[in-house]
Amino acid sequence: MRKRIVVLNCVLCAVLLSACSFEEKNSQQSSDSSSEYYAYSEDDSSDDQLTSSENVPTTDKSENDIKEDNVRVTETSWEEGYTIVLNAYREEAEKISKEGLYWESFDEIPAIPNVEDTIIEREFYNQFGPFAFMLKDLDGNEIPELFICRATEEYDSGVIYHIFTWQDGKTIELLGNLGYRSGICTICQDNMLRVDASGTGTDYGTTIFYLPENGTSLKRFEEFYAIQNEKDSTKSDFFWITSEGKKIPITKEEREEYAQNYVEQADLRYIEGTQDNIVHISDLWDE
């Protein structure tokens, strides 16, 4: 009998120790997860998030789920890479013209098959004019960047929705999340890109970007923006962020004056996004 009691006591002790160990482990995992979350949140609140042009996702998890389905494609030239992107957009534009807004949820917007972590821009479905594109060498390396647009019927002006570059066998997204509601992109002198975006009547800004030679990401040159005053919600405070990253308070008039230094280039060439033009993309690129 004593042996049975001893054995039972040993078993009971082992169960209790196991339960304590399990509870301690779960508590530690919960603590670790919280630390990771707050570390990510702190990183995500940097000054680089001041405009929508950094292409930070603002939608739910479904966007990431779609992006993870993208398939990597080996590209022998920028013509091949851009052709895949253009055909993806062309097919969507043709569906829209025939069926209207055919998808019922954001989950149905397709990924661009050869560009990592990129889907067709949601605002492209707003149907402002026919599908068009531009080829423009922003960094002077004799390889054009690709601009996805919608244009007027005369193809003399339009709205930019997506920008890509090409390097070392890959098409790379430079700038997305563009359009009337997200951010108006303008190609200015010296191939600078001006992006105007706004959240409210008191929160808005203009950011100037450039592409370094052979670069694969845009660099912020300077920024002029307004942010709602903490004491009076009807007013704004105005700031200028220099190319060195220095934040300087300015007046509303100074902000407008700075922004007016960047005007759209004349005679930008919008190309109709037909299958024939896409096939002959090399002939359409005039260096």
Side-chain angles (χ1 to χ4, degrees), residues 115-228:
V115 186
E116 188 174 5
D117 296 339
T118 307
I119 63 174
I120 288 178
E121 282 300 333
R122 188 174 188 178
E123 278 212 49
F124 182 78
Y125 293 90
N126 288 342
Q127 304 184 56
F128 170 80
F131 167 45
F133 64 95
M134 281 194 293
L135 298 170
K136 188 80 174 173
D137 185 3
L138 295 179
D139 59 346
N141 67 350
E142 299 183 352
I143 296 176
E145 276 60 57
L146 172 65
F147 294 75
I148 300 295
C149 315
R150 284 197 178 275
T152 60
E153 296 294 336
E154 296 78 20
Y155 291 90
D156 56 358
S157 64
V159 176
I160 297 169
Y161 290 86
H162 223 153
I163 308 173
F164 300 88
T165 191
W166 188 91
Q167 188 179 106
D168 297 332
K170 293 181 181 179
T171 300
I172 302 164
E173 181 187 53
L174 280 179
L175 196 59
N177 197 25
L178 297 172
Y180 274 127
R181 288 177 292 184
S182 299
I184 299 293
C185 181
T186 306
I187 305 174
C188 302
Q189 68 272 23
D190 300 322
N191 288 333
M192 294 284 197
L193 299 179
R194 166 179 170 163
V195 178
D196 295 294
S198 64
T200 66
T202 52
D203 293 304
Y204 53 92
T206 298
T207 308
I208 310 300
F209 294 97
Y210 70 97
L211 180 65
E213 187 172 0
N214 295 318
T216 57
S217 63
L218 294 173
K219 302 297 182 183
R220 183 172 61 183
F221 182 67
E222 57 183 343
E223 182 175 2
F224 325 100
Y225 70 95
I227 190 168
Q228 187 180 87

Side-chain angles (χ1 to χ4, degrees), residues 52-64:
S52 64
S53 48
E54 291 294 334
N55 201 32
V56 179
T58 57
T59 54
D60 55 24
K61 265 189 173 181
S62 60
E63 180 175 352
N64 289 330

Side-chain angles (χ1 to χ4, degrees), residues 28-44:
Q28 181 64 39
Q29 287 177 342
S30 176
S31 175
D32 291 344
S33 299
S34 297
S35 298
E36 290 175 4
Y37 172 79
Y38 287 114
Y40 173 81
S41 298
E42 289 170 3
D43 291 342
D44 195 44

Side-chain angles (χ1 to χ4, degrees), residues 86-87 90 94 131-133 155 271-281 284:
L86 287 167
N87 278 327
R90 178 185 58 79
E94 289 177 354
F131 167 45
F133 64 95
Y155 291 90
I271 303 169
E272 186 177 4
T274 63
Q275 188 169 14
D276 186 61
N277 281 341
I278 294 171
V279 168
H280 296 95
I281 189 172
L284 297 171

